[in-house]
Amino acid sequence: MSDPLHVEDVSGLSPEAAPAHPSPLARPRARPSPDGVSVAVRSTIALDLHSPAALRRIERDAAARLAPHTLMARAGAAVAHWLYGHLPALASAGRQPVLLLAGPGNNGGDAYVAARELHRRGVLVDVWQLAPPATDDARWALGEALAAGVPVRRSPDTWPQPNAYAWIVDGLFGIGLSRPLDGAAGALVENIVYAHACGTPVLAIDIPSGLMAATGLAAGPVIHANATIAMLGACPGLFTGVGRDVAGEVFVAALGTEDLTATHAGGGVATNAPSAFIEHLPRRHHASHKGSYGSLTVLGGHAGMVGAPMLSARSGLMTGAGRVYVGFIANDAPAWDPMHPELMLRHAEDLDLASMQAVGVGPGLGTSDASAACLSRALALDDTPLVIDADALNLLAAEPTLAQRVRRRKGPTVLTPHPLEAARLAGCEVANIQSDRLASARALAKQFDATVVLKGSGSVVDDGARAWINITGNAGLATAGTGDVLTGVIGALLAQGMPATQAALAAVWLHGAAAQRCVLEGAGPAGLTASELLPAIRTELSILADPAQVPQAARRCISA
């Protein structure tokens, strides 16, 4: 499994002009670039993400200290340099054209510059203009392209054969888009989506057209790209919501503005990576015993739902908790787990919760009076770290008095809602949650004074002050029980003494990395089961905590 963070120079410029910048890959794949200049390396560093407004400030400040049109020239050169290294032989030999689509703004200007640079290298280019340039930089770029002999024409109403082009470059709309695409633009994007589905690769400049940069929402047609080159910095929308599906591999071309990017990195949003939590990760010592690694209890398992807390408990066991208990609501729950006889199974009322180092409540809990009483017992643990999931969240949404008790707790609390549960907690529709996942997670974190894990594509972790978007994982996680597994991982890390926010960050990273490992080893994504994640989570945790102790064969998988 490749690491989702890489350092890559995609500019093709000298190191002084455009030094390397860490860039996350929405679909991880470690490989050296064929141009021999861009070299991907493993990185475990979280990448600061920028709002569109922050990137506009960076662009403005950079332009003020550079000669006119310098940033656009660098951006277009970065696109051309990356693309030239990825062209098939026919295209690089000038025998199969590249199509570049130019919108009215600066993304269109970048496309004109890229077309000029490719043309100079002998590549056949065809530029379709959606609308005339509307900015000074874009007008300059068009003039330069025409002077170099680049063919530019208005985008036609009819679409050629999908395989007519070696690549399509999307320079239609950038990070400032705030409405769904319609009319001629929408029709053109739908044609590009069709060509992409038929096998033509697509490179997006800054962001796939139609995708909202701040939120990852796409309310209308949206480009599907194999790769995206984000200029100056990356926006959150590339890594959450629809962004994970349409952005492809994401690279950052800093264009020589690293100092400004760092200055404006105050938005409080970053990608999740081991650097965000590794210093708090539990370490194993020879001079230790089971009590050294905490006791975890998982409460839940109403009649017909006993499997959910069992999954949580098993994952807690395989994430290193010293002792793991399950407290069932159902009276006819199993007395032991034949798969993991190490687990201690009880009726919920028979457990001494005060002796636990962490408690998870909610998997299979149900919403009966007995369920509410069980949640109430957990909330009475004023100082014990608590993970609240599934039906426990639904009870909080239905019972304001229970919700108030969460807010009054002194101990750390982690809430792990999926979008529907988040909507119930917030008293709104799921569409409202998904329309701005970052804002939704922040509102819930403040409402409950808790660390919130808003699950989904690009899970958001928010502690009320800062947010992280997780970029590990795949569609294999879209199956019953994976949320229960995540609850157990968070609970085990809390039981071993990790702070709540770092435990949540580590858990979602491990959870996603385990799914990637499973798929690389041939399990899924279709048909991947929650139980299959457990040994992969253990392996990923071991690699992070002490890679020297992990067999070489297992470590090779993460860099395949």
Side-chain angles (χ1 to χ4, degrees), residues 152-180:
V152 179
R153 58 178 171 139
R154 290 296 300 268
S155 56
D157 294 329
T158 58
W159 186 254
Q161 291 295 322
N163 59 358
Y165 294 103
W167 275 80
I168 298 172
V169 177
D170 167 27
L172 293 174
F173 298 97
I175 61 174
L177 187 71
S178 59
R179 60 174 178 80

Side-chain angles (χ1 to χ4, degrees), residues 63 73 90 122 187 273 381 426:
L90 278 178
L381 303 167

Side-chain angles (χ1 to χ4, degrees), residues 19 21 48 50 53-66 71 74 232-233 254-266:
H21 191 280
D48 285 318
H50 303 274
L55 287 177
R56 294 299 187 209
R57 289 194 294 271
I58 295 168
E59 183 179 23
R60 180 199 63 212
D61 292 350
R65 70 183 189 186
L66 296 169
L71 277 181
R74 290 179 180 178
L232 305 177
L255 309 180
T257 66
E258 287 77 6
D259 57 334
L260 293 174
T261 303
T263 300
H264 290 283

Side-chain angles (χ1 to χ4, degrees), residues 298-300 302 327-329 348-349 353 359-363 365-382 386-406 409 413-415 425 448:
V298 180
L299 299 172
H302 211 289
F328 293 108
I329 302 298
E349 295 180 354
L353 299 183
V359 171
V361 56
L365 181 69
T367 55
S368 68
D369 290 344
S371 307
C374 184
L375 174 57
S376 182
R377 282 190 65 214
L379 293 176
L381 303 167
D382 199 37
L386 191 60
V387 189
I388 304 178
D389 183 34
D391 279 331
L393 297 171
N394 293 328
L395 285 169
L396 294 183
E399 298 290 341
T401 56
L402 293 175
Q404 290 171 6
R405 291 177 62 186
V406 174
R409 294 190 76 243
T413 307
V414 180
L415 307 182
L425 289 170
F448 288 96

Side-chain angles (χ1 to χ4, degrees), residues 474-479 519 522-529 532:
N474 53 39
L477 294 173
T479 188
V519 169
L528 179 66
T529 64
E532 290 174 283

Side-chain angles (χ1 to χ4, degrees), residues 203-245:
L203 171 65
I205 299 174
D206 260 337
I207 194 165
S209 293
L211 183 69
M212 305 302 168
T215 64
L217 182 69
V222 61
I223 292 288
H224 291 209
N226 296 72
T228 298
I229 299 180
M231 302 302 171
L232 305 177
C235 289
L238 291 168
F239 306 106
T240 192
V242 178
R244 285 293 300 275
D245 284 317

Side-chain angles (χ1 to χ4, degrees), residues 283-372:
R283 298 294 190 264
R284 313 299 282 195
H285 303 288
H286 287 289
S288 62
H289 51 82
K290 62 187 177 184
S292 304
Y293 304 107
S295 295
L296 166 67
T297 284
V298 180
L299 299 172
H302 211 289
M305 297 184 288
V306 297
M310 293 280 272
L311 278 171
S312 294
R314 289 174 180 177
S315 66
L317 193 66
M318 298 189 79
T319 311
R323 288 174 291 208
V324 182
Y325 299 81
V326 183
F328 293 108
I329 302 298
N331 291 320
D332 58 349
W336 68 297
D337 179 6
M339 290 290 293
H340 284 283
E342 304 90 347
L343 296 176
M344 291 167 278
L345 312 187
R346 305 280 193 276
H347 193 274
E349 295 180 354
D350 296 334
L351 282 166
D352 178 15
L353 299 183
S355 66
M356 303 298 158
Q357 278 67 59
V359 171
V361 56
L365 181 69
T367 55
S368 68
D369 290 344
S371 307

